[in-house]
Amino acid sequence: MQKLSVAIVHPNLGIGGAERLVVDTALSLQQRGHRVVIYTMHHDPAHCFEETRDGTLDVRVVRSWLIPESVNGRLHILCTVLRSLGMARRVATDREQYDVVFVDQLSAPIPLLKYAHAHILFYCHFPDYLQAPHTTLWQRLYRAPFDLLEELTTGEADQIVVNSKFTQSTFRNAFPRLSVVPRVLPPAINLAAYDTTPPADDPAVAMLRMPRQSVLSINRFERKKNIVLAIDALALLQNRSDLCLVVAGGWDVRVPENIEYLHELDAHARSLGLSTRTVAPRSASSQALKLLPSNYVRVPAFADDVKTTDSVDVLFVPSFSESQRAHLLATARCVVYTPINEHLGIVPLEAMGMRVPVVAADSGGPCETVVHGKTGYLCQPRAEDFSSAISRIISMSEDQRSEMGRAGRERVETEFALDAYATKLEGIISDMIQYPTTVSAIFGVLMTLFIICTSAVIFLCARYL
């Protein structure tokens, strides 16, 4: 395939499954000789993947000084869309000419990005409007223009791909006006990034060493991730005195839900009689520390100064580092994945890639990744079922657990390895660039409609909020 210049556009380059996809996409294309640049509206070197801060990848942050991330904690989607248009303008007017623009998560900037005269590939993790609340009349009125904008701008892409067959079927039902059937391109696991041994003298890793066996949950601290299910399952285990549930995941001081949900989970665990502790992010500011549960502990300067965690039932690790992730996956007896109807879920793939059995909800994407009884167990999202599956894995002999781990690793190597992902992606791009791309006249109509609706929303907010 000819060598291409590729721009990847992603709203917030933090730590999460979507961000891991962006990083691995850039790495896979770069390794095959393509020129890759990542554009984003936010990138915090203290809260990101290593490849985005160590010079491996070219990351360009496009900040909007005029448009805030929210207005008094509200209007997040409005501000995000407006800021994304500024980022799209930067890409479209950049001196570098791109052959392909890989747009991730947010479709709003696609019509403007077409002025870069590049082919647009849109990666849809899940329709955004299905994840937003539409309960009250105000919510429905507020979301209406954005829901329409999402559908129309998504249809402007030259090629649409989704992460799973589950998302593919959901996409077709969610966007009935679009006749296109998106292609399925599951995310990949860069196994080389996981097959590393964290430094023995890293105090952030030493904080996680414990005599107990660990059951690991990795998710952003969001309510839709249903992490409470993992805590309830642990509380039901009869012989849990030798177990510690480690709840690790993305935690951002700029996201109120992250802060609130961590406190809710800590309080819920303690209400069940479970002891808890929170390991503060190593780079946490004094202001960020005030937002953590009061029982937090800081990472000391030296590993020898680390306090023991052997009496803890639940250990929270918000905004964990990559070395901490590597240690947690390497030492976990099993990984529990609690979201219901998750689009795909990168965590089960990470666990299987590290030869760790998985317990996941029997719905959505995990049904396409976890092989029940072979690489882990798929359960109904009930505490009793999860507790039973965890108990089954914990009570396995070392040979039985190793065999399940080997099966998981083989599945990832065969179906979800980075090289296989790169080959599929290059094939999709090759098919796409055979046809000319055009700048659609619908752009002006869409933007006019959006500006009118935006003005109406701002007026209503100013009048009634």
Side-chain angles (χ1 to χ4, degrees):
M1 181 180 182
Q2 69 183 82
K3 302 310 176 188
L4 303 172
S5 182
V6 181
I8 298 180
V9 177
H10 181 79
N12 184 347
L13 202 58
I15 297 176
E19 291 71 38
R20 189 67 247 177
L21 169 80
V22 166
V23 171
D24 290 338
T25 297
L27 289 173
S28 65
L29 291 174
Q30 195 166 274
Q31 289 169 2
R32 295 196 170 203
H34 303 291
R35 165 74 173 143
V36 181
V37 177
I38 299 177
Y39 291 86
T40 184
M41 296 183 291
H42 179 80
H43 179 243
D44 181 358
H47 184 74
C48 65
F49 290 110
E50 184 69 24
E51 298 93 334
T52 66
R53 65 168 171 250
D54 66 3
T56 301
L57 298 173
D58 184 352
V59 177
R60 302 180 186 181
V61 182
V62 183
R63 292 184 173 87
S64 175
W65 304 109
L66 296 177
I67 304 171
E69 294 182 1
S70 65
V71 179
N72 295 325
R74 299 174 183 241
L75 307 180
H76 289 277
I77 184 61
L78 168 62
C79 293
T80 298
V81 168
L82 292 175
R83 291 169 69 231
S84 76
L85 296 180
M87 179 170 60
R89 178 183 175 277
R90 164 72 182 277
V91 178
T93 59
D94 203 315
R95 290 181 181 178
E96 296 190 43
Q97 296 295 309
Y98 297 106
D99 302 300
V100 175
V101 178
F102 183 107
V103 183
D104 186 64
Q105 279 193 325
L106 188 64
S107 64
I110 288 177
L112 184 54
L113 285 169
K114 300 204 81 170
Y115 282 88
H117 300 289
H119 289 81
I120 307 295
L121 188 151
F122 178 55
Y123 197 104
C124 176
H125 295 265
F126 206 70
D128 182 65
Y129 94 85
L130 294 180
Q131 303 181 78
H134 291 74
T135 306
T136 65
L137 176 61
W138 162 244
Q139 288 173 336
R140 291 194 292 272
L141 289 173
Y142 171 65
R143 284 292 313 190
F146 300 103
D147 296 343
L148 177 61
L149 185 74
E150 179 185 17
E151 182 170 5
L152 296 179
T153 54
T154 296
E156 288 298 293
D158 295 299
Q159 178 66 62
I160 304 168
V161 296
V162 292
N163 52 14
S164 65
K165 294 178 182 177
F166 171 71
T167 303
Q168 184 187 55
S169 63
T170 303
F171 180 97
R172 297 179 69 180
N173 294 328
F175 298 138
R177 295 182 184 88
L178 302 183
S179 58
V180 62
V181 178
R183 296 174 68 170
V184 177
L185 179 66
I189 292 295
N190 183 11
L191 293 172
Y194 292 86
D195 293 337
T196 58
T197 302
D201 59 350
D202 185 346
V205 172
M207 293 287 291
L208 307 178
R209 296 194 182 108
M210 63 190 81
R212 294 187 178 195
Q213 299 181 86
S214 64
V215 175
L216 177 60
S217 167
I218 299 180
N219 270 303
R220 288 189 305 276
F221 284 90
E222 297 176 354
R223 295 179 182 92
K224 68 181 181 181
K225 298 301 183 179
N226 199 29
I227 303 172
V228 68
L229 175 58
I231 296 174
D232 290 342
L234 177 73
L236 291 178
L237 288 171
Q238 295 182 347
N239 300 316
R240 68 168 187 266
S241 59
D242 190 39
L243 292 177
C244 175
L245 173 65
V246 181
V247 179
W251 183 86
D252 193 330
V253 295
R254 301 175 306 118
V255 182
E257 184 184 13
N258 289 177
I259 298 166
E260 296 165 1
Y261 195 45
L262 175 55
H263 281 272
E264 290 171 14
L265 292 172
D266 180 70
H268 181 71
R270 287 187 283 108
S271 73
L272 297 176
L274 302 173
S275 58
T276 67
R277 184 175 298 159
T278 300
V279 177
R282 194 170 190 174
S283 60
S285 64
S286 57
Q287 187 62 34
L289 292 174
K290 295 178 183 178
L291 302 175
L292 293 170
S294 59
N295 61 0
Y296 74 84
V297 291
R298 301 189 68 173
V299 176
F302 303 100
D304 292 341
D305 297 330
V306 172
K307 296 180 181 179
T308 182
T309 55
D310 59 348
S311 62
V312 175
D313 296 316
V314 182
L315 184 67
F316 295 104
V317 190
S319 195
F320 59 97
S321 67
E322 293 199 42
S323 59
Q324 287 177 317
R325 177 194 65 180
H327 171 78
L328 290 172
L329 286 169
T331 57
R333 295 291 293 180
C334 72
V335 166
V336 291
Y337 194 64
T338 51
I340 301 171
N341 286 329
E342 184 72 358
H343 332 145
L344 180 86
I346 198 71
V347 174
L349 294 178
E350 291 178 323
M352 291 190 296
M354 288 291 288
R355 302 177 178 86
V356 182
V358 179
V359 177
D362 188 15
S363 64
C367 295
E368 301 174 37
T369 56
V370 179
V371 181
H372 182 70
K374 185 175 181 181
T375 68
Y377 296 104
L378 296 169
C379 311
Q380 290 298 306
R382 295 189 293 260
E384 297 82 0
D385 292 8
F386 264 68
S387 182
S388 175
I390 294 170
S391 179
R392 196 180 313 171
I393 293 174
I394 295 298
S395 61
M396 284 179 175
S397 67
E398 201 58 40
D399 287 343
Q400 290 174 318
R401 200 182 77 87
S402 294
E403 178 57 34
M404 184 168 277
R406 279 194 296 271
R409 174 74 177 207
E410 290 173 2
R411 178 161 175 75
V412 170
E413 289 177 337
T414 303
E415 301 291 336
F416 303 100
L418 193 60
D419 189 60
Y421 171 84
T423 299
K424 294 176 185 176
L425 177 58
E426 280 193 328
I428 292 173
I429 291 175
S430 180
D431 292 342
M432 177 179 67
I433 63 178
Q434 290 181 15
Y435 302 94
T437 184
T438 58
V439 177
S440 174
I442 199 174
F443 172 73
V445 177
L446 283 174
M447 290 301 104
T448 301
L449 177 64
F450 179 69
I451 290 171
I452 292 173
C453 293
T454 297
S455 301
V457 167
I458 293 175
F459 172 78
L460 290 172
C461 291
R463 185 178 179 88
Y464 297 110
L465 290 185

